[in-house]
């Protein structure tokens, strides 16, 4: 079922937020635009819903998952725009598709609006099936109820009375997932929402429930769960990225019959998480570089990166290096020959490489041709109050022929970083190798 109607709800949420901040005249104008979009989307979804019901129904959970994954891939961008979502200092984003005025909906709003619009588009017979599903399935009813109230009260009773209102099998199973999410320092609200999505996905793929609710509803429930899981992953990418493999492995174990689809889904979710921290793109010599923003305080990410690339001659271009962050093309290593050919270190690109000699050579051969004999290391010193990072790499700068660092752009912005990550544990500017840096 092509559930495009969620787009209208998300647009409505953004418009309502904006309206509260603007004049009545502007609010009225936005409301009129929203009404037009809503009407168009509702007409579209009615046509899509009608065509979906003409499809021959199936009780095969694999076919349900396959169709749900297809619809999820097609429709996800209608629900949230992840462009620059997790980028620090959004004013510096240079992506052409980035909308500086866009306000992304929270995962609780996506879950609420998806369910509300999904139920609004059902026929009377289909809605009765969903209601009966809620009456017979305590955990699904709780999931739907929490969606309705946007998870404001995690202790609320489900909408319908149940003979045995206890969280039985999947709640016990989900405890393993809860432990993983708790270990990533996620809130109980996020954990409850994530577990709720597991409940919805389990229900949608159940050989017992598919014949009862029907193929179309089962696909729609699975699509909603997949969308919500990915929105949660992306919106909490900083915390979740460290345990994403554990989460994926848990899903593969619990949904073993659908391992192929689960693996494909998580590959897409991870790609979206990585996409959310991309701040800019550049094309150099026909190669596209996606620059990922890493906070200077994120020593775990920096150490993980250099551990992966240590003891190689690979060079990773950096578009911006500020006190608070660096923008680095981690997925596209290049060679020194590439940098020399394209004069990257004169054209304001910095870089990271493992070996000190390679880092210095980049300034000599791809930069101005002059640099210092010894590298620099600039770290925060509380006594000086200078705007410097607590964590940093040693590096070389562009110099001129008389042995002075060039202060004109783009030469001044260029840094040729290398080696281990350093930090100043006492905030005195004195550097030590960070304990998470890779060992030789």
């Amino acid at each position: 079922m092509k559930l495009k109607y969620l787009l209208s709800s998300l647009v409505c949420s953004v418009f309502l937020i904006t309206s509260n901040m603007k004049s009545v005249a502007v609010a009225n104008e936005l409301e009129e635009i929203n009404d037009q979009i809503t009407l168009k989307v509702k007409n579209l979804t009615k046509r899509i819903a009608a065509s979906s019901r003409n499809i021959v129904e199936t009780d095969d959970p694999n076919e349900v998952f396959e169709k749900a994954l297809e619809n999820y891939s097609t429709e996800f961008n209608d629900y949230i725009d992840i462009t620059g979502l997790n980028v620090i200092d959004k004013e510096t984003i240079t992506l052409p598709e980035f909308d500086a005025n866009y306000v992304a909906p929270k995962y609780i709003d996506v879950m609420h609006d998806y369910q509300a619009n999904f139920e609004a588009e059902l026929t009377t017979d289909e809605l009765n099936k969903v209601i009966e599903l809620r009456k017979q399935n305590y955990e699904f009813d709780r999931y739907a109820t929490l969606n309705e109230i946007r998870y404001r009260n995690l202790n609320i009773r489900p909408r319908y009375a149940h003979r045995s209102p206890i969280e039985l099998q999947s709640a016990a199973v989900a405890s393993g997932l809860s432990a993983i999410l708790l270990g990533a320092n996620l809130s109980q609200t996020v954990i409850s929402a994530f577990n709720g999505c597991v409940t919805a996905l389990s229900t949608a793929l159940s050989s017992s429930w598919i014949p009862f609710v029907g193929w179309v509803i089962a696909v729609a429930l699975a699509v909603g769960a997949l969308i919500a899981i990915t929105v949660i992953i992306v919106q909490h990418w900083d915390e979740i990225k460290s345990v994403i493999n554990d989460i994926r492995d848990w899903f593969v174990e619990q949904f073993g019959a659908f391992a192929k689809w689960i693996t494909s889904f998580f590959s897409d979710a991870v790609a979206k998480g990585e996409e959310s921290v991309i701040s800019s793109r550049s094309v150099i010599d026909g190669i596209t570089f996606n620059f990922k923003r890493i906070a200077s305080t994120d020593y775990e990410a920096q150490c993980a990166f250099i551990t992966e690339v240590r003891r190689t001659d690979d060079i990773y271009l950096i578009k911006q290096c500020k006190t608070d962050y660096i923008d680095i093309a981690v997925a596209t290593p290049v060679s020194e020959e590439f940098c020399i050919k394209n004069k990257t270190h004169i054209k304001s690109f910095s870089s990271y490489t493992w070996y000190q000699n390679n880092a210095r050579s980049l300034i000599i051969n791809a930069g101005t041709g002059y640099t210092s004999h010894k590298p620099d290391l600039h770290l925060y010193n509380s006594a000086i109050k200078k705007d410097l990072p607590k964590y940093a790499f040693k590096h070389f700068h562009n110099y001129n022929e008389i042995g002075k660092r060039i202060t004109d752009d783009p030469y001044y912005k260029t840094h040729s970083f290398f080696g281990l990550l350093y930090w100043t544990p006492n905030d005195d500017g004195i550097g030590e190798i960070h304990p998470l840096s890779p060992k030789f």
Side-chain angles (χ1 to χ4, degrees), residues 83-152:
T83 306
L85 186 65
N86 292 318
V87 174
I88 307 165
D89 191 4
K90 296 188 186 300
E91 292 182 356
T92 64
I93 295 176
T94 59
L95 297 169
E97 63 270 29
F98 177 67
D99 180 2
N101 297 317
Y102 173 70
V103 179
K106 295 180 179 180
Y107 68 92
I108 54 176
D109 295 321
V110 171
M111 297 172 78
H112 169 275
D113 293 348
Y114 186 99
Q115 179 172 312
N117 286 280
F118 157 67
E119 293 180 354
E121 293 297 328
L122 296 175
T123 65
T124 300
D125 181 58
E126 289 170 336
L127 182 58
N128 287 335
K129 287 182 179 180
V130 173
I131 292 173
E132 191 61 30
L133 171 64
R134 292 181 65 169
K135 289 180 178 179
Q136 295 188 35
N137 187 324
Y138 172 86
E139 292 177 86
F140 181 79
D141 189 21
R142 184 174 186 274
Y143 159 76
T145 302
L146 288 172
N147 285 346
E148 289 169 348
I149 66 167
R150 292 184 169 88
Y151 287 79
R152 288 191 295 267

Side-chain angles (χ1 to χ4, degrees), residues 186-199:
L186 293 168
S187 69
Q188 285 298 330
T189 302
V190 174
I191 294 173
S192 294
F194 213 113
N195 283 332
C197 293
V198 174
T199 294

Side-chain angles (χ1 to χ4, degrees), residues 18 54 115 257 277 293 308 339:
T18 306
N54 293 328
Q115 179 172 312
V277 295
R293 183 153 296 181
E308 183 177 346
C339 296

